[in-house]
């Protein structure tokens, strides 16, 4: 059974940092490109970042570029999202997801095979 479990969310102030983690089980982790998405109340789930199977390639939404960094440790079956310079508009539930698609073609929610349950990030002003 495939499981993706996120952790690391919380309540922080604007300008603070958080690091989210997502650990996978039940899959050959290194076969999957891994993405992070987020969803604020009343909005659609949106793409945040993706990392290739090897970790050598990444891509980001314009809204987080330069502030967020995605990374992975295939030995630990874990993907991370380092979030610096957090803003109130970053408040959302953050989800990790796994896809067998190539990293450069996986930007929509329908492109992903497995999802975590989400972790709440709240940024106060």
């Amino acid at each position: 059974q495939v499981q993706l479990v996120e952790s690391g969310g919380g309540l922080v102030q604007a300008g603070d940092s958080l690091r989210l983690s997502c650990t996978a089980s039940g899959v050959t982790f290194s076969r999957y490109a891994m993405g992070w998405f987020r969803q604020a109340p009343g909005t659609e789930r949106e793409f945040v970042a993706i990392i290739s199977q090897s970790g050598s390639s990444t891509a980001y939404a314009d809204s987080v570029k330069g502030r967020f960094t995605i990374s992975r440790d295939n030995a630990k079956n874990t993907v991370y999202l380092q979030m610096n310079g957090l803003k109130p508009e970053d408040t959302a539930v953050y989800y990790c997801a796994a896809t067998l698609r190539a990293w450069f073609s996986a930007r929509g929610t329908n492109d992903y095979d497995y999802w975590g349950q989400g972790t709440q990030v709240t940024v106060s002003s």
Side-chain angles (χ1 to χ4, degrees):
Q1 183 177 355
V2 178
Q3 277 195 311
L4 301 179
V5 180
E6 300 99 334
S7 61
L11 172 63
V12 297
Q13 293 187 330
D16 284 352
S17 298
L18 276 177
R19 188 177 81 155
L20 306 183
S21 300
C22 169
T23 300
S25 60
V27 293
T28 303
F29 185 69
S30 60
R31 292 183 61 203
Y32 289 82
M34 297 297 297
W36 285 96
F37 285 72
R38 65 186 182 186
Q39 188 168 20
T43 69
E44 293 188 352
R45 196 169 296 188
E46 65 174 2
F47 168 79
V48 173
I50 188 171
I51 188 166
S52 64
Q53 286 83 344
S54 68
S56 61
S57 298
T58 59
Y60 299 89
D62 288 344
S63 58
V64 307
K65 203 172 293 184
R67 299 188 298 122
F68 291 10
T69 302
I70 189 171
S71 61
R72 67 188 294 161
D73 185 339
N74 284 350
K76 296 182 178 179
N77 285 5
T78 300
V79 61
Y80 305 97
L81 186 68
Q82 178 67 43
M83 305 185 294
N84 298 330
L86 282 162
K87 304 175 181 180
E89 51 263 44
D90 294 319
T91 295
V93 177
Y94 283 71
Y95 299 89
C96 70
T99 179
L100 286 172
R101 296 174 69 105
W103 69 275
F104 50 81
S105 66
R107 297 290 184 275
T109 56
N110 290 337
D111 295 330
Y112 288 77
D113 303 293
Y114 302 107
W115 291 85
Q117 83 289 347
T119 186
Q120 176 71 47
V121 172
T122 303
V123 185
S124 64
S125 56

